[in-house]
Amino acid sequence: MSADLRHVDTWLFDLDNTLYPVESGFMGEIERRMTAYVERVTGLPRDDAYRLQKKYLADYGLTLGGLVEHHGVDPADFHKIFHDMSLEALAQDPELVAAIERLPGRRLIFTNADDVHARRVLDHLGLHHLFEDVFHIGSADYVPKPAPATFEKMSAAHAIDPAATAFFEDSERNLEPAAQLGMTTVLVGPHAAASTAPFVDYRTEKLAPFLAQAQLREAA
């Protein structure tokens, strides 16, 4: 049965591993670069740097949070490591482009990445023109999802009505604050079907067919 999203007029999307499939391997390269950065900043052997990276991710919601707090890292310097990444692993998906294009109302990106990375990826995927704005980690003063304060800041910046908003994410924990605000939540990716979280409204492995089949309100 298709999802009933006729109440939605604001479409909020995460970026990485949501607007392109996990199996692209692109996030793997991002993680390798983060591990190398932690290794360089701390002087730790690579295996220890990887474990520390994952600890910071768990503790702060973002590796950068721990690097700033414990090592005085400049966020702008950290994000530069992603700005020259090859995008060859990411393929344009005409079905996804068409599915997003048919969504009535506003479409926004809500990402823990920075503005340069978000723009590069969206441009490469042929999606940038479909989105009104990108609320990135700089917009959030480098406080990442799932911090409730960041959801509040994003909602205020775009006058979000949670009851008329659907949020699409590959990270289950990032959906919980959205649900608490009253948004419709959609977990995306190969792990989605196994989720039993009560705050997840819909689960889908693939974004394009889910959007293409959803019941939408009539365009004004």
Side-chain angles (χ1 to χ4, degrees):
M1 184 178 296
S2 62
D4 187 350
L5 301 178
R6 288 174 291 184
H7 63 291
V8 176
D9 65 14
T10 299
W11 306 87
L12 195 60
F13 291 86
D14 175 49
L15 177 66
D16 290 307
N17 277 358
T18 298
L19 290 181
Y20 59 81
V22 173
E23 52 266 30
S24 70
F26 187 66
M27 274 300 296
E29 176 59 20
I30 289 177
E31 290 185 352
R32 284 189 287 274
R33 290 187 178 220
M34 284 195 286
T35 299
Y37 188 90
V38 172
E39 185 180 11
R40 173 160 60 86
V41 166
T42 64
L44 291 169
R46 191 166 186 83
D47 287 350
D48 292 340
Y50 177 79
R51 282 190 288 270
L52 183 62
Q53 173 201 334
K54 293 304 180 184
K55 181 179 188 306
Y56 286 162
L57 177 63
D59 291 349
Y60 293 90
L62 202 64
T63 299
L64 177 61
L67 291 173
V68 170
E69 181 70 20
H70 298 287
H71 307 280
V73 163
D74 177 359
D77 180 68
F78 173 79
H79 282 290
K80 284 179 183 176
I81 67 175
F82 310 116
H83 294 172
D84 65 347
M85 287 183 61
S86 169
L87 302 177
E88 289 183 6
L90 303 180
Q92 290 193 12
D93 181 350
E95 291 184 7
L96 180 60
V97 173
I100 292 176
E101 196 165 23
R102 74 182 280 262
L103 300 177
R106 298 185 299 165
R107 312 172 198 115
L108 302 165
I109 297 294
F110 184 20
T111 177
N112 281 343
D114 79 333
D115 56 339
V116 176
H117 174 80
R119 185 178 64 251
R120 291 185 75 232
V121 170
L122 289 169
D123 281 343
H124 185 80
L125 293 174
L127 294 171
H128 193 273
H129 68 289
L130 297 179
F131 290 92
E132 180 178 298
D133 198 15
V134 175
F135 192 91
H136 52 83
I137 192 64
S139 310
D141 296 324
Y142 296 97
V143 179
K145 301 174 291 184
T150 293
F151 276 80
E152 291 168 9
K153 187 184 290 286
M154 182 278 302
S155 296
H158 293 289
I160 296 290
D161 174 6
T165 299
F167 183 36
F168 300 79
E169 255 277 3
D170 71 295
S171 171
E172 184 180 90
R173 69 175 180 174
N174 287 345
L175 290 174
E176 185 168 14
Q180 290 171 348
L181 288 172
M183 296 180 189
T184 297
T185 56
V186 184
L187 184 62
V188 180
H191 58 289
S195 170
T196 59
F199 52 81
V200 176
D201 295 310
Y202 297 102
R203 299 162 178 82
T204 182
E205 180 179 357
K206 301 293 184 182
L207 184 56
F210 176 86
L211 293 175
Q213 296 163 17
Q215 300 176 58
L216 308 178
R217 68 174 173 83
E218 295 289 337

